[in-house]
Amino acid sequence: DGGITQSPKYLFRKEGQNVTLSCEQNLNHDAMYWYRQDPGQGLRLIYYSQIVNDFQKGDIAEGYSVSREKKESFPLTVTSAQKNPTAFYLCASSRTGTGAGKNYGYTFGSGTRLTVV
Amino acid sequence: QKEVEQDPGPLSVPEGAIVSLNCTYSNSAFQYFMWYRQYSRKGPELLMYTYSSGNKEDGRFTAQVDKSSKYISLFIRDSQPSDSATYLCAMSADKIIFGKGTRLHILP
């Protein structure tokens, strides 16, 4: 079955460490996204990519980095510069539309819960 | 004014009741309207997808869009305890904007 796989499900980070969250999809979607979800704050966009080897900053990109070397993969690195990284991280993918305003719904992974220890 | 407003709840209703969930928005350019359901510690899943104004029905779920009032609704008929989740509205013109979600509890 097609879908998005995020790993690990739970991740613990020590102060000053960089950690990388994995996101893989087999839906043949062009676009991929990373969101952060905190209680009471909803989904906030970190980075997105609409094509291989290209990505754009979202609303809260500081302290994060991404790469898009393959269509199927969009890993997120949480760097030591991110001061408050404890959160639930969600990866999503979608088809990209043609024409002004065309959009499709997102397919989300099951998330990675990151905790600073 | 925020682009998308959604009451966070929690909303508690007895099993079998009709549930009404709502969002308002300010951007008249939005054309695509979605509802996602998110169970605890899981990713959101797309529940309903509507283009422009009107109603869409899928089983016990009905989505309504009123673009003149900038108001969208999700109705759940014959609610079940398994419907207990957080429901996020979302809408888009060129990119998707999510509401913060409404927590729903169906009481057995």
Side-chain angles (χ1 to χ4, degrees):
Chain A
D1 288 337
I4 296 185
T5 301
Q6 287 188 244
S7 62
K9 193 173 179 68
Y10 299 96
L11 185 58
F12 297 91
R13 192 194 93 167
K14 293 181 180 178
E15 295 283 352
Q17 258 187 347
N18 291 356
V19 291
T20 297
L21 284 59
S22 171
C23 178
E24 303 276 334
Q25 55 100 358
N26 61 3
L27 298 164
N28 199 33
H29 285 170
D30 288 308
M32 297 187 74
Y33 312 83
W34 274 106
Y35 285 89
R36 169 177 172 147
Q37 189 174 39
D38 297 278
Q41 299 234 35
L43 293 170
R44 292 186 289 169
L45 182 64
I46 304 172
Y47 268 98
Y48 65 102
S49 167
Q50 295 194 305
I51 196 168
V52 174
N53 291 322
D54 188 44
F55 47 83
Q56 286 77 42
K57 293 182 179 180
D59 302 317
I60 56 163
E62 186 175 350
Y64 300 97
S65 66
V66 293
S67 63
R68 187 85 187 276
E69 297 176 3
K70 298 186 299 181
K71 186 176 184 178
E72 302 79 21
S73 179
F74 192 40
L76 173 74
T77 296
V78 183
T79 75
S80 57
Q82 171 48 241
K83 297 306 177 189
N84 185 23
T86 294
F88 189 49
Y89 290 86
L90 287 160
C91 179
S93 71
S94 73
R95 296 161 58 191
T96 50
T98 56
K102 186 71 171 174
N103 209 316
Y104 298 91
Y106 292 175
T107 300
F108 283 88
S110 294
T112 293
R113 185 162 300 277
L114 173 63
T115 304
V116 174
V117 295
Chain B
Q1 183 183 11
K2 294 180 181 176
E3 273 196 294
V4 178
E5 301 263 15
Q6 185 175 13
D7 188 328
L11 177 63
S12 297
V13 299
E15 183 176 357
I18 295 175
V19 175
S20 173
L21 303 167
N22 311 293
C23 287
T24 59
Y25 63 94
S26 58
N27 187 347
S28 58
F30 288 145
Q31 297 183 68
Y32 300 90
F33 303 90
M34 291 147 276
W35 286 95
Y36 288 80
R37 177 176 62 196
Q38 184 177 21
Y39 291 114
S40 181
R41 301 186 183 89
K42 299 290 187 183
E45 56 178 325
L46 183 62
L47 201 57
M48 300 287 280
Y49 184 100
T50 309
Y51 172 70
S52 194
S53 283
N55 294 0
K56 184 174 183 179
E57 188 173 321
D58 184 1
R60 296 184 296 111
F61 298 90
T62 299
Q64 281 187 354
V65 175
D66 183 347
K67 291 187 74 177
S68 62
S69 300
K70 296 190 178 68
Y71 188 88
I72 69 170
S73 301
L74 177 71
F75 297 97
I76 307 174
R77 291 184 299 280
D78 187 25
S79 56
Q80 305 294 313
S82 59
D83 295 327
S84 298
T86 296
Y87 290 80
L88 296 93
C89 63
M91 44 203 79
S92 73
D94 56 348
K95 65 175 183 177
I96 291 183
I97 308 296
F98 288 89
K100 292 187 177 181
T102 299
R103 285 184 295 144
L104 174 66
H105 299 294
I106 306 298
L107 307 171

